[in-house]
Amino acid sequence: MPSPRFGTHKTIESRWLLTLPSFAAALFSLALAIFLIFTAYSDRSARNNSLTQDLLWQKQALTTRVDNFTHQLRTVAASMATDGLASAEFTARTLSLLQESPEIIALEYVDETGRQRWREPEIKVAELPDYRHPELIAIRDAVLAGAPSAYSKIIMVAEDMPVLAIAVPITLNFNGRHVLIAQLNLRTMLQQQVPWWIAQRYQISLWQQEKLLAGRFDRSHDASHLNSSIDLAWGPNQLKLTAHVYAQKRDNWQTALTLVVGALSLLMLASTWALRRHIKERQRTEAQLRQEQALRESMENSLVTGIRAMDLEGRLFYVNRAFCEMVGYSQEKLLGASHPMPYWPPEDIEECMAIYRAILSGRADSTGYQMRFMRSNGERFDVRLYATKLIDGEGVHTGWISAIYDITELQREREALQASHERFVAVLNGLDAAVSVSDANSGELLLSNRQFDRAFDIPEKHGRYCNIPVVSRHKRLPVDGEWFDDFHQRWYQVKSRSSVWVDGSEVWLEIATDVTVLKTAQEQERQQNEQLQQTTRLISMGEMASSLAHELNQPLAAIASYATGCRNVLSQAEPNVAQLDQAIEKMAAQAKRAGQIIRGIREFVQRRAPHRTRCEVSELLETVLTLLGAEIKKAQVKLQVERDPELPAIYADAVMLEQVMFNLSKNAIEAMAATPVKDRALKIILRKQDDMLAVSIIDRGTGISDEQMEQLFKPFYTTKGSGMGMGLNICRSIIEHHQGRLWVEANPAGGTIFRFTLPLVLENEAYEP
């Protein structure tokens, strides 16, 4: 097997040998393309330079010709100014100018009034403009106005005759400034001034604002895209001189040779690329084959599963590395081994031999065999063995191949899991609560503890059960509720939770705790509280007995007095019926007053179940103040009541609220026993705050310390020498029963403030807790 360094050098050398032909062919094609492009570029650059130089030369020639015309016109104008039109010198110069310059198509003389004084040729050509043409008038006026000595303007008279007009002034001492105007045919000028060697190479033309004026070109040649333009500064006109290079005829042999060379280059590139692709494909196939072989070997060596292969006689001819590490023997020692195998433990050799024979006879169990092997150091371990036939590429049965799994750790984990499950079941069965798990979709009972089976009479060995929920379920929020078992007469507190089972399905976990004893205790506590409230009311009535007797004596004494008065009226000879009716009416009022006092005492003392009704707080307060009227007078307390004029009604138990206000007011009166008489004041405030009724009972007593406030509402705590310590606790229970709040504060002016709030709810919203 070659070393890695040698293999790397060989790979690099083969890669270079594969790349070099393609690289050489590509380099040759690139050099050929660069040569052709450079040749074409050089030719085009040379033609551009030649075009620019020839165009500049042609511009210079035309400009020189126009300058010569202007100079000759100035000479003629000077002769006219000196000698006049009839002189021989003027005639000679004019004829010489017309004969030597075929471009001149007209020469005329115009005075300062714009009248034509002289023209040559005298016969007017129809296509030529006369002196009254607007363009010639503009030129003349510009010269007469003091414009430069030479002024030119292009005049389009006919479709095919562009004219260049050149005007020069004639200065006459006696008669002002006159003008000499020459008209030149631009087409004739191009024909005369463009030499043959330029005409053979280019199309020469004059343009004014993208409009062709004149040109000289050979119609048998086509113009190419190569052209150049240059401006002609002739007066105010924007003239451009343009030259288009004639398209050159291609050399067919040269073109054909170029195409052949290019085709051969492409063919060479294609063949080199195809050869390289073929070689790379072959190398890729060989590399894949080597990679697959190496992958198979690495996979076999990286498996934790042991693999062994036996021939038809039962001799080992292949083992992988995992199997060697599993049994602790080298590959050389295992290959060729037969029964008994070196990894068979002596105590299990008969069992191993039986499995060995079953495999060789073709009776291998498809579910595998659980066996015990022995490592080279004598350590025993458990394995799971699966055997099947070994078929070669031609379909011939050549032996047996086996897969061996070390299940020692799996056995330990299974035993640990079983032990954990048993501990979990033991803990679950030890709970006093009934625990169940049911499928969220089918409702099937998946798990239950012993308390659940005992509570709902489920046998220990049962089949599939459907668990019916006893409380409403919500997937998003946990549900806590209570449920009464009518069959067993038991109360359960049920907690329901949505969860995920071990297989990923959605389940419901429910824990039902038997709270029958707690419910019974709560009911007994409620009854004891009612009895305690009744006792408290009776004690309060006992304490007020003397005051109530005095309160009842007043209406009874009044009734007796009115009865005596009625008897006296009746004893008269003529009784006064009106006076008698008035006395009887007052007797009835006093009797009604006594009845109200007795009815209030009876309702206050009567033991009954709480019942909410619509009641007015002001009326309840009046009843309480009636019961406490004697106490207030006896204690010499100033009573002050503040209430909102439109105080809404509330839905509550009237007797319970009367008891609260009675106890708090009575405590306030008793707290002011040591207060000077002039400072004794009881203030009761009834107000509406948002959606709550707020009641404040304020006294000017000795006050309550911070330590006492913390203990004030606890049962059996009292600041009185003869109190039971249950009054304020009962008051707080009554207020909280109505979803209100009772608390105490210190009065800044001295004394104590007891406050409580009650919700103002509609009748259909009030409920009994």
Side-chain angles (χ1 to χ4, degrees):
M1 180 176 180
S3 63
R5 181 176 298 178
F6 176 76
T8 303
H9 286 308
K10 186 175 181 181
T11 303
I12 296 175
E13 182 181 356
S14 61
R15 185 178 300 171
W16 271 104
L17 291 176
L18 180 63
T19 307
L20 188 58
S22 301
F23 179 75
L27 190 62
F28 172 76
S29 301
L30 179 62
L32 179 62
I34 293 175
F35 172 74
L36 295 176
I37 294 173
F38 180 76
T39 302
Y41 177 77
S42 299
D43 181 60
R44 186 177 183 87
S45 298
R47 295 176 66 186
N48 279 331
N49 293 333
S50 177
L51 172 62
T52 303
Q53 294 176 3
D54 293 342
L55 189 61
L56 289 174
W57 185 92
Q58 186 62 59
K59 174 187 176 182
Q60 185 65 30
L62 293 176
T63 304
T64 302
R65 183 62 175 171
V66 172
D67 292 342
N68 291 334
F69 285 149
T70 304
H71 178 70
Q72 293 177 5
L73 285 178
R74 286 175 179 173
T75 303
V76 174
S79 300
M80 293 178 63
T82 305
D83 303 326
L85 294 175
S87 66
E89 185 177 357
F90 169 76
T91 303
R93 288 183 180 275
T94 302
L95 291 176
S96 174
L97 181 61
L98 291 175
Q99 290 176 359
E100 293 177 359
S101 303
E103 298 93 336
I104 298 177
I105 55 177
L107 186 66
E108 55 187 356
Y109 165 55
V110 180
D111 59 15
E112 73 279 3
T113 63
R115 185 170 61 87
Q116 184 178 10
R117 301 280 295 274
W118 173 82
R119 178 183 177 87
E120 181 65 33
E122 296 182 358
I123 302 175
K124 181 180 179 303
V125 182
E127 291 78 4
L128 295 179
D130 58 8
Y131 65 94
R132 292 168 296 182
H133 193 279
E135 298 294 338
L136 295 180
I137 293 175
I139 294 174
R140 182 201 65 198
D141 293 340
V143 174
L144 294 178
S149 59
Y151 185 88
S152 61
K153 180 77 173 179
I154 297 298
I155 304 172
M156 295 302 298
V157 178
E159 295 182 358
D160 57 348
M161 185 179 292
V163 176
L164 174 65
I166 302 176
V168 296
I170 303 173
T171 304
L172 301 177
N173 295 329
F174 61 91
N175 204 12
R177 293 171 63 90
H178 293 187
V179 180
L180 180 63
I181 300 174
Q183 300 182 33
L184 283 72
N185 189 341
L186 292 177
R187 186 175 299 165
T188 305
M189 182 183 295
L190 288 181
Q191 294 293 333
Q192 295 293 326
Q193 298 302 319
V194 176
W196 63 269
W197 54 273
I198 289 182
Q200 286 182 351
R201 297 180 184 177
Y202 315 104
Q203 285 186 359
I204 303 299
S205 56
L206 283 173
W207 298 79
Q208 183 184 26
Q209 297 180 356
E210 305 300 328
K211 185 175 182 181
L212 179 63
L213 299 179
R216 181 179 180 183
F217 48 85
D218 189 352
R219 298 184 180 275
S220 61
H221 293 83
D222 296 328
S224 66
H225 296 288
L226 184 60
N227 62 81
S228 180
S229 298
I230 193 170
D231 293 333
L232 294 177
W234 291 352
N237 306 104
Q238 298 296 327
L239 297 180
K240 284 187 177 182
L241 179 65
T242 303
H244 288 78
V245 179
Y246 287 121
Q248 297 181 356
K249 294 184 178 180
R250 296 181 180 272
D251 190 352
N252 295 333
W253 286 104
Q254 183 180 1
T255 303
L257 183 60
T258 304
L259 292 177
V260 169
V261 172
L264 290 176
S265 300
L266 293 177
L267 181 61
M268 181 178 60
L269 281 175
S271 60
T272 306
W273 179 259
L275 179 61
R276 182 176 182 274
R277 185 176 179 182
H278 176 72
I279 296 175
K280 286 186 65 176
E281 187 68 26
R282 182 174 179 178
Q283 290 180 346
R284 190 181 300 113
T285 303
E286 294 175 354
Q288 289 178 353
L289 181 60
R290 289 192 300 269
Q291 184 178 1
E292 289 179 1
Q293 185 177 359
L295 177 62
R296 186 186 68 181
E297 293 178 357
S298 61
M299 288 177 61
E300 292 176 356
N301 293 329
S302 63
L303 288 175
V304 295
T305 303
I307 299 177
R308 73 177 187 184
M310 302 184 300
D311 57 17
L312 295 177
E313 285 76 23
R315 289 187 300 270
L316 295 177
F317 67 86
Y318 173 78
V319 288
N320 69 339
R321 185 172 60 185
F323 185 77
C324 295
E325 294 175 353
M326 189 181 298
V327 297
Y329 292 97
S330 64
Q331 195 176 40
E332 291 77 10
K333 190 172 182 179
L334 291 175
L335 293 179
S338 183
H339 61 284
M341 299 295 180
Y343 47 83
W344 288 354
E347 66 274 11
D348 295 330
I349 195 167
E350 293 296 332
E351 181 181 358
C352 294
M353 192 65 192
I355 296 174
Y356 179 78
R357 290 170 181 170
I359 294 175
L360 292 179
S361 62
R363 295 181 288 106
D365 191 353
S366 60
T367 60
Y369 300 96
Q370 184 167 343
M371 304 174 62
R372 174 157 292 187
F373 282 178
M374 180 181 66
R375 292 189 174 93
S376 59
N377 59 2
E379 180 184 358
R380 270 66 170 173
F381 62 98
D382 296 323
V383 298
R384 190 78 180 176
L385 185 145
Y386 297 90
T388 186
K389 292 181 179 181
L390 181 61
I391 308 298
D392 63 5
E394 297 179 357
V396 179
H397 178 206
T398 59
W400 307 89
I401 187 168
S402 302
I404 300 97
Y405 299 90
D406 187 350
I407 61 173
T408 305
E409 292 298 327
L410 182 62
Q411 285 288 96
R412 293 176 183 173
E413 292 178 0
R414 187 175 299 170
E415 293 172 358
L417 182 61
Q418 181 66 25
S420 176
H421 177 71
E422 291 175 357
R423 289 193 297 269
F424 170 73
V425 171
V427 173
L428 199 62
N429 290 331
L431 295 176
D432 292 334
V435 181
S436 66
V437 178
S438 58
D439 188 89
N441 297 321
S442 63
E444 180 183 356
L445 183 63
L446 302 177
L447 176 67
S448 62
N449 67 342
R450 187 178 300 164
Q451 182 64 25
F452 183 88
D453 298 342
R454 186 185 299 117
F456 300 106
D457 299 332
I458 298 178
E460 184 177 355
K461 295 182 179 180
H462 59 80
R464 301 176 65 182
Y465 270 80
C466 183
N467 191 16
I468 301 176
V470 296
V471 295
S472 59
R473 293 173 173 175
H474 301 283
K475 291 185 177 181
R476 294 185 179 178
L477 299 175
V479 178
D480 297 340
E482 292 184 350
W483 174 67
F484 181 70
D485 186 359
D486 292 331
F487 183 76
H488 296 92
Q489 297 295 308
R490 308 293 293 178
W491 276 99
Y492 291 94
Q493 183 181 12
V494 182
K495 296 181 180 296
S496 182
R497 303 289 188 273
S498 177
S499 184
V500 179
W501 197 233
V502 292
D503 59 354
S505 61
E506 184 180 2
V507 295
W508 283 100
L509 170 65
E510 291 182 335
I511 303 174
T513 306
D514 191 340
V515 293
T516 306
V517 177
L518 181 62
K519 280 284 184 180
T520 304
Q522 290 177 351
E523 179 63 23
Q524 292 176 356
E525 182 181 0
R526 186 185 64 80
Q527 293 176 2
Q528 290 175 359
N529 287 335
E530 291 182 0
Q531 293 176 358
L532 188 59
Q533 293 180 26
Q534 178 71 10
T535 303
T536 303
R537 289 195 292 270
L538 291 175
I539 292 173
S540 300
M541 286 297 99
E543 294 175 353
M544 294 190 305
S546 60
S547 299
L548 291 174
H550 176 74
E551 189 72 21
L552 288 174
N553 280 333
Q554 291 182 356
L556 293 177
I559 291 173
S561 178
Y562 286 133
T564 303
C566 290
R567 185 179 293 112
N568 293 333
V569 172
L570 291 174
S571 63
Q572 296 178 2
E574 293 182 359
N576 189 343
V577 179
Q579 189 177 5
L580 182 63
D581 181 67
Q582 185 178 4
I584 293 174
E585 183 178 356
K586 292 182 178 180
M587 289 174 60
Q590 294 297 325
K592 183 176 181 182
R593 179 186 174 190
Q596 288 178 348
I597 295 173
I598 295 173
R599 184 170 60 254
I601 295 173
R602 184 175 66 249
E603 290 180 353
F604 185 77
V605 177
Q606 184 180 6
R607 179 183 177 184
R608 60 182 180 81
H611 178 63
R612 291 194 179 194
T613 57
R614 186 179 186 276
C615 53
E616 300 288 341
V617 182
S618 299
E619 295 179 1
L620 301 181
L621 181 61
E622 291 296 334
T623 302
V624 171
L625 295 179
T626 300
L627 295 175
L628 292 173
E631 289 284 340
I632 295 174
K633 293 179 181 178
K634 181 179 178 181
Q636 299 180 0
V637 174
K638 299 177 183 178
L639 178 65
Q640 183 181 359
V641 179
E642 295 182 5
R643 71 193 77 186
D644 290 344
E646 297 181 357
L647 198 63
I650 63 173
Y651 289 87
D653 190 294
V655 176
M656 287 186 175
L657 293 187
E658 287 177 356
Q659 182 179 354
V660 172
M661 289 188 289
F662 179 86
N663 288 344
L664 296 180
S665 301
K666 188 172 180 297
N667 289 343
I669 294 172
E670 293 176 351
M672 292 185 289
T675 304
V677 176
K678 63 175 182 172
D679 294 331
R680 296 176 185 175
L682 175 62
K683 186 175 183 180
I684 301 175
I685 302 175
L686 305 177
R687 289 179 181 173
K688 178 185 178 183
Q689 295 180 354
D690 298 331
D691 56 348
M692 304 291 287
L693 169 67
V695 179
S696 301
I697 299 175
I698 308 171
D699 65 65
R700 298 289 302 278
T702 57
I704 303 174
S705 64
D706 295 338
E707 294 78 7
Q708 291 175 337
M709 284 186 181
E710 296 179 358
Q711 307 289 332
L712 197 60
F713 293 99
K714 292 184 177 180
F716 307 108
Y717 177 81
T718 179
T719 58
K720 302 177 183 178
S722 59
M724 294 178 58
M726 292 298 297
L728 291 178
N729 180 265
I730 292 174
C731 291
R732 172 171 279 185
S733 300
I734 292 174
I735 296 300
E736 292 178 351
H737 175 82
H738 287 78
Q739 293 84 48
R741 177 171 171 258
L742 171 64
W743 71 98
V744 62
E745 298 176 356
N747 187 0
T752 309
I753 303 175
F754 281 87
R755 303 182 189 273
F756 68 87
T757 57
L758 295 173
L760 296 174
V761 297
L762 299 177
E763 184 176 6
N764 55 0
E765 295 178 348
Y767 65 94
E768 297 294 343

